[in-house]
Amino acid sequence: MRGIRLFFVSMLLLGSHMMTWGQITADSQTGLDMTGAPIVAHGLYYTGMVEYDGEMIPSFLMADVYVFNKLVFKNERQARKYYKIANNIKKVYPIAVEIQKLVNKTIAQLDSLPTKREKDEFIKRSEKELKKEYYPRLKKLTFAQGKLLIKLIDRQCDMTSYQLIKTYMGGFKAGFYNAFASLFGASLKKEYDAEGDDRLTERAILLIESGQL
């Protein structure tokens, strides 16, 4: 009976996303998540049939669910400010994730090059490609979104934007870009503080990642 009850709980979790067993599908690209499990609904993955108490029941893997204390806003203005930050995160966080992957890929490629000359040439090519790819997108960001992206890059890469530029393009360019950013009241040296100033940003990111926001 316990197995049967769990089966019906599973059906309720699927809700309107449930299909016949022969039709369980996933996303529009591969149909699978990173572990190879078909995605049935956002954050819910069908992993096959398992035995429980002598019965075969469907098994599902659920994404992490985060529980925070309810936010209490002093006024409507404060509430609007928080949700504006959340909307900004939704826009720039994917860019920070892209940059993280790009940095990891660049490091791996640099490590594979035997000479300094080849590395320098590779960095120059990469810089041109970066400008071509990201400049049209970044210039559409608002000032607040740009400052947020600087912090999120530090969160994802564990290095500030200034450190990244200095490491791969040299101290002169890092200083120049930081000086240019300072004209607009920003700093490429800005660090992400998940436990302090950026705790609400961290909260929003975790909720967005889990599909709760």
Side-chain angles (χ1 to χ4, degrees):
M1 288 297 294
R2 289 176 61 195
I4 294 175
R5 283 197 295 271
L6 285 173
F7 173 81
F8 283 111
V9 169
S10 299
M11 298 303 99
L12 290 172
L13 286 172
L14 284 174
S16 61
H17 296 282
M18 186 62 198
M19 305 171 71
T20 62
W21 291 114
Q23 294 176 309
I24 289 179
T25 58
D27 63 22
S28 60
Q29 297 296 317
T30 64
L32 305 173
D33 75 339
M34 292 179 64
T35 66
I39 303 171
V40 179
H42 184 79
L44 190 63
Y45 310 91
Y46 173 65
T47 59
M49 302 295 288
V50 298
E51 185 177 350
Y52 182 83
D53 263 3
E55 299 180 58
M56 298 300 293
I57 63 171
S59 171
F60 299 93
L61 176 67
M62 295 185 68
D64 292 337
V65 175
Y66 297 94
V67 180
F68 296 98
N69 292 329
K70 184 178 179 180
L71 283 175
V72 178
F73 301 109
K74 294 180 180 179
N75 48 51
E76 187 178 342
R77 180 181 179 184
Q78 191 181 60
R80 286 200 304 269
K81 182 178 179 181
Y82 171 75
Y83 289 111
K84 184 177 181 180
I85 291 174
N87 286 330
N88 285 342
I89 293 170
K90 287 181 179 180
K91 185 165 186 176
V92 303
Y93 178 62
I95 300 176
V97 173
E98 285 180 34
I99 291 174
Q100 175 194 11
K101 294 177 180 178
L102 191 60
V103 168
N104 292 337
K105 181 180 178 181
T106 300
I107 291 173
Q109 289 178 305
L110 280 174
D111 288 342
S112 68
L113 298 175
T115 67
K116 184 178 182 303
R117 180 179 178 180
E118 288 177 294
K119 291 180 179 181
D120 289 342
E121 290 176 351
F122 172 75
I123 289 174
K124 287 181 180 179
R125 289 197 307 272
S126 298
E127 185 179 3
K128 289 181 180 179
E129 292 172 3
L130 279 172
K131 287 180 178 179
K132 183 179 179 181
E133 169 69 21
Y134 286 98
Y135 181 71
R137 296 167 62 184
L138 296 182
K139 71 178 183 179
K140 294 179 181 179
L141 299 180
T142 65
F143 176 66
Q145 290 167 349
K147 292 182 73 173
L148 176 62
L149 179 59
I150 290 172
K151 281 195 170 187
L152 293 187
I153 288 173
D154 180 51
R155 179 188 188 270
Q156 296 303 119
C157 301
D158 201 27
M159 293 178 72
T160 65
S161 299
Y162 179 85
Q163 290 171 324
L164 284 170
I165 297 171
K166 183 178 180 180
T167 300
Y168 299 107
M169 298 182 186
F172 176 78
K173 283 192 175 181
F176 173 79
Y177 285 128
N178 192 51
F180 184 77
S182 69
L183 295 176
F184 300 92
S187 173
L188 300 182
K189 296 181 180 181
K190 205 73 173 175
E191 296 181 353
Y192 187 80
D193 183 7
E195 301 295 327
D197 292 341
D198 302 305
R199 61 187 181 281
L200 287 181
T201 299
E202 183 68 16
R203 170 182 173 139
I205 289 174
L206 294 176
L207 292 175
I208 289 169
E209 287 179 333
S210 64
Q212 295 172 254
L213 182 63

Short mmCIF file of all heavy atoms in Angstrom, two decimals, residues 125-184:
data_model
loop_
_atom_site.label_atom_id
_atom_site.label_comp_id
_atom_site.label_asym_id
_atom_site.label_seq_id
_atom_site.Cartn_x
_atom_site.Cartn_y
_atom_site.Cartn_z
N ARG A 125 43.14 36.92 -30.73
CA ARG A 125 42.00 36.44 -31.52
C ARG A 125 40.75 36.34 -30.64
O ARG A 125 39.65 36.73 -31.04
CB ARG A 125 42.31 35.08 -32.14
CG ARG A 125 43.33 35.10 -33.26
CD ARG A 125 43.26 33.82 -34.08
NE ARG A 125 43.38 32.61 -33.26
CZ ARG A 125 44.54 32.04 -32.92
NH1 ARG A 125 45.69 32.57 -33.35
NH2 ARG A 125 44.56 30.95 -32.19
N SER A 126 40.96 35.83 -29.44
CA SER A 126 39.84 35.65 -28.52
C SER A 126 39.22 36.99 -28.14
O SER A 126 38.00 37.12 -28.03
CB SER A 126 40.30 34.92 -27.25
OG SER A 126 40.78 33.63 -27.55
N GLU A 127 40.07 38.01 -27.95
CA GLU A 127 39.59 39.33 -27.58
C GLU A 127 38.70 39.91 -28.69
O GLU A 127 37.64 40.48 -28.42
CB GLU A 127 40.76 40.28 -27.31
CG GLU A 127 40.33 41.65 -26.81
CD GLU A 127 41.50 42.57 -26.52
OE1 GLU A 127 42.66 42.16 -26.76
OE2 GLU A 127 41.25 43.70 -26.08
N LYS A 128 39.11 39.73 -29.94
CA LYS A 128 38.32 40.21 -31.07
C LYS A 128 36.97 39.49 -31.14
O LYS A 128 35.93 40.11 -31.38
CB LYS A 128 39.09 40.02 -32.38
CG LYS A 128 40.28 40.95 -32.55
CD LYS A 128 40.97 40.70 -33.88
CE LYS A 128 42.17 41.62 -34.04
NZ LYS A 128 42.88 41.39 -35.33
N GLU A 129 37.01 38.18 -30.92
CA GLU A 129 35.79 37.39 -30.97
C GLU A 129 34.84 37.78 -29.84
O GLU A 129 33.62 37.84 -30.02
CB GLU A 129 36.12 35.89 -30.90
CG GLU A 129 36.84 35.38 -32.14
CD GLU A 129 37.34 33.96 -31.97
OE1 GLU A 129 37.08 33.36 -30.90
OE2 GLU A 129 38.00 33.44 -32.90
N LEU A 130 35.42 38.04 -28.66
CA LEU A 130 34.61 38.44 -27.51
C LEU A 130 33.89 39.76 -27.78
O LEU A 130 32.70 39.91 -27.49
CB LEU A 130 35.49 38.57 -26.27
CG LEU A 130 35.84 37.29 -25.52
CD1 LEU A 130 36.89 37.57 -24.45
CD2 LEU A 130 34.60 36.68 -24.89
N LYS A 131 34.64 40.71 -28.32
CA LYS A 131 34.04 42.02 -28.61
C LYS A 131 32.92 41.88 -29.64
O LYS A 131 31.87 42.51 -29.52
CB LYS A 131 35.11 42.98 -29.12
CG LYS A 131 36.07 43.46 -28.04
CD LYS A 131 37.12 44.42 -28.61
CE LYS A 131 38.04 44.93 -27.53
NZ LYS A 131 39.09 45.84 -28.06
N LYS A 132 33.15 41.07 -30.63
CA LYS A 132 32.15 40.88 -31.69
C LYS A 132 30.89 40.22 -31.13
O LYS A 132 29.76 40.57 -31.50
CB LYS A 132 32.74 40.03 -32.82
CG LYS A 132 31.79 39.83 -33.99
CD LYS A 132 32.45 39.01 -35.08
CE LYS A 132 31.50 38.78 -36.26
NZ LYS A 132 32.13 37.96 -37.33
N GLU A 133 31.09 39.26 -30.23
CA GLU A 133 29.96 38.50 -29.69
C GLU A 133 29.20 39.26 -28.61
O GLU A 133 27.97 39.29 -28.60
CB GLU A 133 30.49 37.18 -29.10
CG GLU A 133 29.46 36.40 -28.27
CD GLU A 133 28.34 35.81 -29.09
OE1 GLU A 133 28.52 35.64 -30.32
OE2 GLU A 133 27.26 35.54 -28.52
N TYR A 134 29.93 39.89 -27.70
CA TYR A 134 29.28 40.43 -26.50
C TYR A 134 29.01 41.93 -26.53
O TYR A 134 28.13 42.41 -25.81
CB TYR A 134 30.11 40.08 -25.26
CG TYR A 134 29.97 38.62 -24.88
CD1 TYR A 134 30.95 37.70 -25.26
CD2 TYR A 134 28.86 38.16 -24.18
CE1 TYR A 134 30.82 36.36 -24.94
CE2 TYR A 134 28.73 36.83 -23.86
CZ TYR A 134 29.70 35.93 -24.23
OH TYR A 134 29.57 34.60 -23.92
N TYR A 135 29.76 42.69 -27.30
CA TYR A 135 29.55 44.14 -27.29
C TYR A 135 28.12 44.53 -27.65
O TYR A 135 27.50 45.35 -26.95
CB TYR A 135 30.54 44.83 -28.22
CG TYR A 135 30.39 46.34 -28.23
CD1 TYR A 135 30.78 47.11 -27.13
CD2 TYR A 135 29.82 47.00 -29.32
CE1 TYR A 135 30.61 48.49 -27.12
CE2 TYR A 135 29.64 48.37 -29.32
CZ TYR A 135 30.05 49.11 -28.22
OH TYR A 135 29.87 50.47 -28.21
N PRO A 136 27.53 43.96 -28.72
CA PRO A 136 26.15 44.33 -29.05
C PRO A 136 25.17 43.99 -27.93
O PRO A 136 24.17 44.68 -27.73
CB PRO A 136 25.85 43.49 -30.31
CG PRO A 136 27.20 43.20 -30.89
CD PRO A 136 28.11 43.02 -29.72
N ARG A 137 25.46 42.92 -27.19
CA ARG A 137 24.56 42.51 -26.10
C ARG A 137 24.76 43.37 -24.86
O ARG A 137 23.80 43.78 -24.20
CB ARG A 137 24.79 41.04 -25.77
CG ARG A 137 24.45 40.10 -26.91
CD ARG A 137 24.97 38.69 -26.66
NE ARG A 137 24.37 38.09 -25.48
CZ ARG A 137 24.73 36.89 -25.03
NH1 ARG A 137 25.67 36.20 -25.65
NH2 ARG A 137 24.15 36.38 -23.96
N LEU A 138 26.03 43.65 -24.54
CA LEU A 138 26.33 44.39 -23.32
C LEU A 138 25.89 45.84 -23.40
O LEU A 138 25.51 46.44 -22.39
CB LEU A 138 27.82 44.30 -22.99
CG LEU A 138 28.36 42.91 -22.69
CD1 LEU A 138 29.85 42.98 -22.34
CD2 LEU A 138 27.59 42.26 -21.54
N LYS A 139 25.96 46.43 -24.59
CA LYS A 139 25.59 47.85 -24.70
C LYS A 139 24.08 48.05 -24.53
O LYS A 139 23.63 49.19 -24.36
CB LYS A 139 26.06 48.42 -26.04
CG LYS A 139 25.31 47.94 -27.26
CD LYS A 139 25.85 48.64 -28.51
CE LYS A 139 25.08 48.24 -29.76
NZ LYS A 139 25.58 48.94 -30.96
N LYS A 140 23.32 46.96 -24.55
CA LYS A 140 21.87 47.05 -24.33
C LYS A 140 21.52 46.99 -22.85
O LYS A 140 20.37 47.24 -22.48
CB LYS A 140 21.15 45.92 -25.08
CG LYS A 140 21.24 46.00 -26.59
CD LYS A 140 20.52 44.84 -27.23
CE LYS A 140 20.63 44.90 -28.76
NZ LYS A 140 19.94 43.74 -29.40
N LEU A 141 22.51 46.65 -22.01
CA LEU A 141 22.25 46.56 -20.58
C LEU A 141 22.12 47.96 -19.97
O LEU A 141 22.77 48.90 -20.42
CB LEU A 141 23.37 45.79 -19.87
CG LEU A 141 23.62 44.34 -20.30
CD1 LEU A 141 24.76 43.77 -19.48
CD2 LEU A 141 22.37 43.50 -20.14
N THR A 142 21.31 48.05 -18.93
CA THR A 142 21.23 49.29 -18.19
C THR A 142 22.46 49.41 -17.29
O THR A 142 23.22 48.45 -17.12
CB THR A 142 19.97 49.33 -17.31
OG1 THR A 142 20.06 48.31 -16.31
CG2 THR A 142 18.72 49.10 -18.15
N PHE A 143 22.65 50.59 -16.70
CA PHE A 143 23.78 50.80 -15.80
C PHE A 143 23.73 49.82 -14.63
O PHE A 143 24.74 49.20 -14.26
CB PHE A 143 23.76 52.24 -15.29
CG PHE A 143 24.83 52.54 -14.30
CD1 PHE A 143 26.17 52.51 -14.66
CD2 PHE A 143 24.51 52.86 -12.99
CE1 PHE A 143 27.17 52.79 -13.72
CE2 PHE A 143 25.49 53.14 -12.05
CZ PHE A 143 26.82 53.11 -12.43
N ALA A 144 22.54 49.64 -14.04
CA ALA A 144 22.39 48.73 -12.91
C ALA A 144 22.69 47.29 -13.31
O ALA A 144 23.32 46.54 -12.56
CB ALA A 144 20.97 48.83 -12.34
N GLN A 145 22.26 46.90 -14.51
CA GLN A 145 22.52 45.54 -14.98
C GLN A 145 24.00 45.31 -15.23
O GLN A 145 24.53 44.23 -14.97
CB GLN A 145 21.71 45.27 -16.25
CG GLN A 145 20.22 45.18 -16.01
CD GLN A 145 19.40 45.22 -17.27
OE1 GLN A 145 19.91 45.53 -18.36
NE2 GLN A 145 18.11 44.95 -17.16
N GLY A 146 24.68 46.35 -15.74
CA GLY A 146 26.12 46.24 -15.98
C GLY A 146 26.90 46.06 -14.69
O GLY A 146 27.81 45.22 -14.60
N LYS A 147 26.55 46.81 -13.65
CA LYS A 147 27.21 46.69 -12.35
C LYS A 147 26.94 45.31 -11.74
O LYS A 147 27.82 44.70 -11.12
CB LYS A 147 26.74 47.79 -11.41
CG LYS A 147 27.20 49.19 -11.81
CD LYS A 147 26.74 50.25 -10.83
CE LYS A 147 27.51 50.18 -9.53
NZ LYS A 147 27.17 51.32 -8.63
N LEU A 148 25.72 44.83 -11.92
CA LEU A 148 25.36 43.51 -11.42
C LEU A 148 26.17 42.42 -12.12
O LEU A 148 26.66 41.48 -11.48
CB LEU A 148 23.86 43.26 -11.61
CG LEU A 148 23.33 41.89 -11.21
CD1 LEU A 148 23.55 41.64 -9.72
CD2 LEU A 148 21.84 41.78 -11.55
N LEU A 149 26.32 42.55 -13.44
CA LEU A 149 27.09 41.57 -14.20
C LEU A 149 28.53 41.48 -13.71
O LEU A 149 29.10 40.38 -13.63
CB LEU A 149 27.05 41.91 -15.69
CG LEU A 149 27.84 40.97 -16.62
CD1 LEU A 149 27.30 39.54 -16.51
CD2 LEU A 149 27.77 41.45 -18.06
N ILE A 150 29.13 42.62 -13.38
CA ILE A 150 30.51 42.63 -12.87
C ILE A 150 30.61 41.76 -11.62
O ILE A 150 31.55 40.96 -11.47
CB ILE A 150 30.95 44.07 -12.57
CG1 ILE A 150 31.14 44.85 -13.87
CG2 ILE A 150 32.26 44.08 -11.77
CD1 ILE A 150 31.40 46.34 -13.66
N LYS A 151 29.63 41.87 -10.74
CA LYS A 151 29.64 41.08 -9.51
C LYS A 151 29.38 39.59 -9.80
O LYS A 151 29.99 38.71 -9.18
CB LYS A 151 28.59 41.61 -8.53
CG LYS A 151 29.02 42.85 -7.77
CD LYS A 151 28.10 43.09 -6.59
CE LYS A 151 28.64 44.17 -5.67
NZ LYS A 151 27.84 44.31 -4.43
N LEU A 152 28.46 39.33 -10.72
CA LEU A 152 28.11 37.94 -11.02
C LEU A 152 29.26 37.21 -11.71
O LEU A 152 29.41 35.99 -11.55
CB LEU A 152 26.85 37.88 -11.88
CG LEU A 152 25.56 38.35 -11.20
CD1 LEU A 152 24.36 38.09 -12.09
CD2 LEU A 152 25.37 37.67 -9.86
N ILE A 153 30.07 37.93 -12.46
CA ILE A 153 31.26 37.31 -13.06
C ILE A 153 32.20 36.84 -11.96
O ILE A 153 32.77 35.75 -12.02
CB ILE A 153 31.97 38.31 -14.01
CG1 ILE A 153 31.14 38.50 -15.28
CG2 ILE A 153 33.37 37.81 -14.37
CD1 ILE A 153 31.67 39.57 -16.21
N ASP A 154 32.35 37.65 -10.92
CA ASP A 154 33.19 37.25 -9.77
C ASP A 154 32.59 36.02 -9.10
O ASP A 154 33.31 35.11 -8.70
CB ASP A 154 33.31 38.40 -8.78
CG ASP A 154 34.16 38.05 -7.57
OD1 ASP A 154 35.29 37.55 -7.78
OD2 ASP A 154 33.72 38.25 -6.43
N ARG A 155 31.27 35.97 -8.99
CA ARG A 155 30.60 34.82 -8.37
C ARG A 155 30.86 33.55 -9.16
O ARG A 155 31.16 32.49 -8.60
CB ARG A 155 29.09 35.06 -8.29
CG ARG A 155 28.30 33.90 -7.68
CD ARG A 155 26.80 34.15 -7.82
NE ARG A 155 26.02 33.17 -7.09
CZ ARG A 155 25.59 32.02 -7.59
NH1 ARG A 155 25.89 31.69 -8.86
NH2 ARG A 155 24.87 31.18 -6.86
N GLN A 156 30.73 33.63 -10.48
CA GLN A 156 30.85 32.44 -11.33
C GLN A 156 32.30 32.01 -11.55
O GLN A 156 32.60 30.82 -11.60
CB GLN A 156 30.18 32.70 -12.68
CG GLN A 156 28.69 32.93 -12.63
CD GLN A 156 27.95 31.79 -11.99
OE1 GLN A 156 27.28 31.97 -10.97
NE2 GLN A 156 28.06 30.61 -12.54
N CYS A 157 33.18 32.97 -11.72
CA CYS A 157 34.57 32.66 -12.10
C CYS A 157 35.53 32.65 -10.91
O CYS A 157 36.69 32.27 -11.07
CB CYS A 157 35.07 33.66 -13.14
SG CYS A 157 34.08 33.69 -14.66
N ASP A 158 35.04 33.10 -9.76
CA ASP A 158 35.89 33.20 -8.58
C ASP A 158 37.07 34.13 -8.83
O ASP A 158 38.15 33.97 -8.25
CB ASP A 158 36.38 31.82 -8.13
CG ASP A 158 36.83 31.82 -6.67
OD1 ASP A 158 36.32 32.65 -5.89
OD2 ASP A 158 37.69 31.00 -6.32
N MET A 159 36.88 35.07 -9.74
CA MET A 159 37.86 36.10 -10.06
C MET A 159 37.10 37.35 -10.49
O MET A 159 36.09 37.24 -11.20
CB MET A 159 38.78 35.68 -11.21
CG MET A 159 39.72 34.53 -10.92
SD MET A 159 40.71 34.08 -12.39
CE MET A 159 41.84 35.47 -12.48
N THR A 160 37.56 38.50 -10.06
CA THR A 160 36.90 39.73 -10.50
C THR A 160 37.18 39.96 -11.98
O THR A 160 38.11 39.37 -12.55
CB THR A 160 37.39 40.95 -9.71
OG1 THR A 160 38.78 41.16 -10.01
CG2 THR A 160 37.21 40.76 -8.22
N SER A 161 36.37 40.81 -12.60
CA SER A 161 36.59 41.14 -14.01
C SER A 161 37.98 41.73 -14.20
O SER A 161 38.65 41.45 -15.21
CB SER A 161 35.53 42.14 -14.48
OG SER A 161 34.24 41.59 -14.36
N TYR A 162 38.42 42.54 -13.24
CA TYR A 162 39.76 43.14 -13.31
C TYR A 162 40.84 42.05 -13.31
O TYR A 162 41.78 42.11 -14.11
CB TYR A 162 39.95 44.08 -12.12
CG TYR A 162 41.32 44.74 -12.08
CD1 TYR A 162 41.57 45.91 -12.79
CD2 TYR A 162 42.36 44.18 -11.33
CE1 TYR A 162 42.82 46.51 -12.77
CE2 TYR A 162 43.61 44.77 -11.29
CZ TYR A 162 43.84 45.94 -12.01
OH TYR A 162 45.08 46.52 -11.99
N GLN A 163 40.69 41.06 -12.43
CA GLN A 163 41.68 39.98 -12.35
C GLN A 163 41.72 39.16 -13.63
O GLN A 163 42.79 38.74 -14.09
CB GLN A 163 41.36 39.08 -11.16
CG GLN A 163 41.60 39.73 -9.81
CD GLN A 163 41.06 38.90 -8.66
OE1 GLN A 163 40.01 38.24 -8.77
NE2 GLN A 163 41.78 38.91 -7.54
N LEU A 164 40.54 38.93 -14.22
CA LEU A 164 40.47 38.16 -15.47
C LEU A 164 41.21 38.88 -16.59
O LEU A 164 42.00 38.28 -17.33
CB LEU A 164 39.01 37.93 -15.87
CG LEU A 164 38.24 36.87 -15.08
CD1 LEU A 164 36.76 36.92 -15.43
CD2 LEU A 164 38.80 35.48 -15.37
N ILE A 165 40.92 40.19 -16.73
CA ILE A 165 41.57 40.96 -17.79
C ILE A 165 43.08 41.04 -17.56
O ILE A 165 43.88 40.88 -18.49
CB ILE A 165 40.96 42.38 -17.87
CG1 ILE A 165 39.48 42.30 -18.25
CG2 ILE A 165 41.70 43.23 -18.91
CD1 ILE A 165 38.74 43.62 -18.15
N LYS A 166 43.46 41.27 -16.32
CA LYS A 166 44.88 41.38 -16.00
C LYS A 166 45.62 40.07 -16.28
O LYS A 166 46.74 40.07 -16.81
CB LYS A 166 45.06 41.77 -14.53
CG LYS A 166 46.52 41.99 -14.13
CD LYS A 166 46.63 42.43 -12.67
CE LYS A 166 48.10 42.64 -12.28
NZ LYS A 166 48.22 43.07 -10.86
N THR A 167 45.00 38.95 -15.94
CA THR A 167 45.63 37.64 -16.11
C THR A 167 45.82 37.29 -17.58
O THR A 167 46.87 36.76 -17.97
CB THR A 167 44.78 36.55 -15.42
OG1 THR A 167 44.67 36.84 -14.03
CG2 THR A 167 45.43 35.17 -15.60
N TYR A 168 44.80 37.58 -18.41
CA TYR A 168 44.85 37.11 -19.79
C TYR A 168 45.15 38.20 -20.82
O TYR A 168 45.50 37.87 -21.96
CB TYR A 168 43.52 36.42 -20.13
CG TYR A 168 43.27 35.23 -19.24
CD1 TYR A 168 42.32 35.28 -18.24
CD2 TYR A 168 44.03 34.08 -19.36
CE1 TYR A 168 42.11 34.20 -17.39
CE2 TYR A 168 43.84 33.00 -18.52
CZ TYR A 168 42.88 33.07 -17.54
OH TYR A 168 42.70 32.01 -16.70
N MET A 169 45.03 39.47 -20.44
CA MET A 169 45.29 40.54 -21.40
C MET A 169 46.34 41.53 -20.92
O MET A 169 46.73 42.42 -21.66
CB MET A 169 43.99 41.28 -21.74
CG MET A 169 42.94 40.41 -22.39
SD MET A 169 41.44 41.34 -22.82
CE MET A 169 40.37 40.00 -23.38
N GLY A 170 46.75 41.39 -19.67
CA GLY A 170 47.81 42.25 -19.16
C GLY A 170 47.31 43.34 -18.23
O GLY A 170 46.14 43.74 -18.28
N GLY A 171 48.22 43.84 -17.39
CA GLY A 171 47.87 44.85 -16.41
C GLY A 171 47.46 46.18 -17.00
O GLY A 171 46.60 46.87 -16.45
N PHE A 172 48.07 46.56 -18.14
CA PHE A 172 47.74 47.85 -18.76
C PHE A 172 46.27 47.89 -19.18
O PHE A 172 45.56 48.86 -18.89
CB PHE A 172 48.64 48.11 -19.96
CG PHE A 172 48.29 49.37 -20.70
CD1 PHE A 172 48.69 50.61 -20.20
CD2 PHE A 172 47.55 49.33 -21.86
CE1 PHE A 172 48.35 51.78 -20.86
CE2 PHE A 172 47.21 50.49 -22.54
CZ PHE A 172 47.62 51.72 -22.04
N LYS A 173 45.83 46.84 -19.88
CA LYS A 173 44.44 46.82 -20.33
C LYS A 173 43.48 46.74 -19.15
O LYS A 173 42.41 47.35 -19.17
CB LYS A 173 44.21 45.64 -21.28
CG LYS A 173 44.74 45.89 -22.68
CD LYS A 173 44.25 44.85 -23.66
CE LYS A 173 44.71 45.20 -25.08
NZ LYS A 173 44.22 44.22 -26.07
N ALA A 174 43.87 45.99 -18.12
CA ALA A 174 43.01 45.88 -16.94
C ALA A 174 42.83 47.25 -16.30
O ALA A 174 41.72 47.64 -15.92
CB ALA A 174 43.62 44.90 -15.94
N GLY A 175 43.93 47.97 -16.18
CA GLY A 175 43.86 49.32 -15.60
C GLY A 175 43.06 50.27 -16.45
O GLY A 175 42.28 51.08 -15.93
N PHE A 176 43.24 50.18 -17.77
CA PHE A 176 42.51 51.07 -18.69
C PHE A 176 41.01 50.82 -18.61
O PHE A 176 40.22 51.76 -18.47
CB PHE A 176 43.00 50.85 -20.12
CG PHE A 176 42.19 51.60 -21.15
CD1 PHE A 176 42.40 52.96 -21.36
CD2 PHE A 176 41.20 50.94 -21.87
CE1 PHE A 176 41.64 53.65 -22.30
CE2 PHE A 176 40.45 51.63 -22.80
CZ PHE A 176 40.67 52.99 -23.02
N TYR A 177 40.62 49.54 -18.69
CA TYR A 177 39.19 49.22 -18.65
C TYR A 177 38.57 49.59 -17.31
O TYR A 177 37.42 50.04 -17.25
CB TYR A 177 38.97 47.73 -18.95
CG TYR A 177 39.14 47.35 -20.40
CD1 TYR A 177 39.98 46.31 -20.78
CD2 TYR A 177 38.46 48.04 -21.41
CE1 TYR A 177 40.14 45.96 -22.12
CE2 TYR A 177 38.61 47.70 -22.74
CZ TYR A 177 39.45 46.66 -23.09
OH TYR A 177 39.62 46.32 -24.42
N ASN A 178 39.32 49.41 -16.23
CA ASN A 178 38.80 49.76 -14.92
C ASN A 178 38.65 51.28 -14.77
O ASN A 178 37.68 51.76 -14.19
CB ASN A 178 39.71 49.22 -13.82
CG ASN A 178 39.07 49.30 -12.45
OD1 ASN A 178 37.94 48.86 -12.27
ND2 ASN A 178 39.77 49.89 -11.50
N ALA A 179 39.62 52.02 -15.32
CA ALA A 179 39.54 53.47 -15.28
C ALA A 179 38.34 53.96 -16.08
O ALA A 179 37.63 54.89 -15.68
CB ALA A 179 40.83 54.08 -15.83
N PHE A 180 38.10 53.33 -17.22
CA PHE A 180 36.94 53.69 -18.06
C PHE A 180 35.64 53.40 -17.31
O PHE A 180 34.72 54.22 -17.33
CB PHE A 180 36.99 52.90 -19.37
CG PHE A 180 35.90 53.26 -20.33
CD1 PHE A 180 35.97 54.43 -21.08
CD2 PHE A 180 34.79 52.45 -20.47
CE1 PHE A 180 34.96 54.77 -21.96
CE2 PHE A 180 33.78 52.79 -21.36
CZ PHE A 180 33.87 53.95 -22.11
N ALA A 181 35.59 52.23 -16.63
CA ALA A 181 34.38 51.88 -15.88
C ALA A 181 34.14 52.86 -14.73
O ALA A 181 32.99 53.18 -14.41
CB ALA A 181 34.51 50.46 -15.33
N SER A 182 35.22 53.35 -14.14
CA SER A 182 35.09 54.27 -13.01
C SER A 182 34.44 55.60 -13.41
O SER A 182 33.87 56.28 -12.57
CB SER A 182 36.46 54.52 -12.37
OG SER A 182 37.30 55.27 -13.24
N LEU A 183 34.55 55.95 -14.69
CA LEU A 183 33.90 57.17 -15.17
C LEU A 183 32.39 57.09 -15.01
O LEU A 183 31.71 58.11 -14.94
CB LEU A 183 34.26 57.41 -16.64
CG LEU A 183 35.73 57.69 -16.96
CD1 LEU A 183 35.93 57.80 -18.47
CD2 LEU A 183 36.19 58.98 -16.27
N PHE A 184 31.88 55.87 -14.96
CA PHE A 184 30.44 55.67 -14.83
C PHE A 184 30.07 55.17 -13.43
O PHE A 184 28.97 54.66 -13.20
CB PHE A 184 29.96 54.65 -15.88
CG PHE A 184 30.24 55.09 -17.29
CD1 PHE A 184 31.43 54.71 -17.93
CD2 PHE A 184 29.35 55.91 -17.96
CE1 PHE A 184 31.69 55.13 -19.23
CE2 PHE A 184 29.62 56.33 -19.26
CZ PHE A 184 30.79 55.94 -19.90
#
